Amino acid sequence: MSLPRTVTSGPELHSPEGAAKKLQTPPVRGTWRASSEGTPSTHREDTRPGLGTLRWAFSRTSQRASGQALEEDLGLFQRSSRFLFRSLRRAQDNGSPARQPQATAVPGVTHGPEVPSRVMDGGQRQSSAGVGPEELEPEAGKSVADLITERQLLRAFEQLRQLEVRLVAEKASHTFEEDPTGFARRAMDVCLHYDGLAAEIGAIVRETLGPDGVDAAALGDLARVVRAEEAAHPVPPADGDFLLTPRRWRQHWEDAVRRSAQERVQQAGAGEARGAAEAEGASGLAQLLAELGGLVRSDLHKVRQEVQPAYSAAGLPAWEAYLRAFHGAVAQRLQELAQDARGCEQLYVLLDWAANVYGSPDFLGAPDLTLSTEPLPPLLAPALWARLQSDYTSFLETKITSCFDSILQLEQSRWADAEAPDVLQGLYHTPLSIDVHMLVAEHVKAAGAISAELEATTLCICTRALSLFLPRFEKAFLESKAVNEPHLGANINACEELRTHLLARFPGTFEELEKPLVAATCTFQKQLLRGLQCDVQPLFRVLCTKAWLTQDVLQPIMDKVVAFARHLEHVAPLRAQETLQEVHRYVVREYLAQVLRPRERFRGEERMTGSQKMGLDAQAIGHTFQGLGSEATWLDQAIPCVADILGETYKDDIRRHLETLIGSYPDIRRDHVLAILGLRRLGHRRNQRLLQHAQYLLRSAAKAGGSAAAGGHVLFEEIEP
């Protein structure tokens, strides 16, 4: 530690060889010696150097220290002064009563730390005969201050330690009873040089990660000095003597490492990068975090490869200290960034960097270098992490809703442009299902990369948003001008893909979407059927007329059915089969409805011809739907049974035909039986007997639980006789 010195008439603080050396000093009145002999002086100065002079002198200890270091060193100086004053008061209390007034009158002691004892000049010193203070340098060689300046820390400490031990011994032998101010000056000199050593330790640590760095020898010397000080001052002295008080340089070194890491971390994103982060939002924040990660990675590599080996020889755990310091500095920086994070993207960038970049085992880029999470606290406090996730999910919910709005707008633009849906792998295709799949998968995957909890929350958000989207999509489509077989088939396929693929990919999550997806599918299927019904309904009115007896009026109906079925070939097989069976059921039901509500009554030969015609039509309907692939074979019995009742010549066999009809279609009602018997004109008494038997069969079927609706086989229930 370089201290200001001036030539005086008394002995100096340097060796005889260095007596000619003079350090430049500011123009101050009076003189200041880092240490002096006890020779009495008759010269007394009117003024003494103030605290400003002391600060200037102290700054010479480490010309490489920053302004922050100066404040820290002054703090050390003030603490040293307080302890020294207590030591002086104890020394005065233990001295002779005759000398106590003289001791208490020493300036700089009784007036507190504003004028420390080291500024007392030679004119105020009194010493007893034959007793003088030791110099703070050997008889030959460099002074302690020069050793500190040259960063020969261990040599400087060893000399200081020798002087400290000698000074304590002289105090114990009551050498300074006649000159307590001499003890104060020498004790303050030792304290200031100790503080200079501590300041130089901080300066070395600050420069270690700088562009020029510090050589390994200086780092090794620093580590040995820290260990040597711990060995020299293991515990506080029992009498509270300041000179033997532990300096706690290990803690000072760790604090300096911590400050160095904070300064380095704060450099990331400085200047233009920080402005870009604010202007560019998520991309700017990502750039800042990338720079931060690169800086931390580079510094820790340097610590492991250059700094740690230099410290490890003296047993100082540099890697652990720097790792904790950088971890804490990064955590503090992320907390600052979290306060300014806005929007879903920025929040995700922050969470993703903390969880997947910094938290990755490969963050440091070397297999033997990892940021172990066990000895280190969480990078983000649990409360802050929870708040960031909560804010992210709130923004995410709004964003996903907006994405579904965009999907609907794209679909509406395609409908308005009258674009026909594509045929992909033989099926009508709309981008709807792909858009929804990508939206859900992207956000769920991103959330899962951060935490399982956030993934589950994101799945719930997507489920709610999709369940609200489906009714809106359905309503918008039905109100558009694009309602036709290809678009309806494409929408049915999209709903089916969403139902099967989402449930398969995210089991246990999208079950609540089953109902809205099935409901939307059923709506599109019904709309598909409604279009066919509008086309063929007028053609059914010709049935059961005298023209029907001589013409093939069923063929136009079946032609439209076949044309409709061609669209079903481009619909998902399961939904196509359901729709085809509904068409089959509709054709049979409408045919029977016309039979049970005939526009003309047939008698005699016309009735027999009508019965035969019904049999032929039943065969044509069955063969057509069988060729189309309909699996609703349960419908094949309905028209033939009614035809047999109408054409049966042996009236007693009508009972058997009724039994077959009621057994095959338990949803038939009494009114239907009356309508069928009314077509036959059997007479009141026979009709009553057949009706009673039919009612018995219906009651038996009801008791047996043979409801047609229970099996999904509903036919007569929807026919109004």
Side-chain angles (χ1 to χ4, degrees), residues 380-452:
L380 295 175
L384 178 58
W385 180 266
R387 182 182 69 78
L388 290 177
Q389 286 196 123
S390 177
D391 293 345
Y392 171 73
T393 53
S394 298
F395 283 111
L396 181 64
E397 193 163 4
T398 304
K399 180 181 178 181
I400 290 179
T401 301
S402 176
C403 289
F404 276 115
D405 292 340
S406 300
I407 291 175
L408 181 57
Q409 291 174 3
L410 288 174
E411 291 293 324
Q412 287 175 325
S413 66
R414 279 191 285 268
W415 302 335
D417 294 340
E419 297 180 8
D422 298 327
V423 178
L424 187 63
Q425 296 181 346
L427 300 178
Y428 288 131
H429 173 73
T430 174
L432 172 67
S433 60
I434 294 179
D435 292 342
V436 173
H437 272 113
M438 291 181 62
L439 174 64
V440 173
E442 175 186 355
H443 287 94
V444 170
K445 180 181 179 181
I450 295 177
S451 69

Side-chain angles (χ1 to χ4, degrees), residues 592-631:
L592 290 174
Q594 297 300 323
V595 170
L596 296 182
R597 295 194 302 269
R599 297 179 182 277
E600 299 179 20
R601 294 280 182 174
F602 298 138
R603 298 172 182 266
E605 187 176 347
E606 288 180 345
R607 180 171 53 78
M608 296 299 296
T609 303
S611 175
Q612 294 173 2
K613 183 70 172 177
M614 289 176 63
L616 293 173
D617 288 347
Q619 289 180 3
I621 292 171
H623 290 159
T624 300
F625 280 103
Q626 184 179 1
L628 295 175
S630 173
E631 299 175 0

Side-chain angles (χ1 to χ4, degrees), residues 157 225-235 249-251 316:
F157 176 77
V225 163
V226 171
R227 296 294 300 273
E229 191 279 328
E230 289 179 333
H233 307 130
V235 293
W249 282 353
R250 181 184 293 266
Q251 181 63 44
L316 212 57

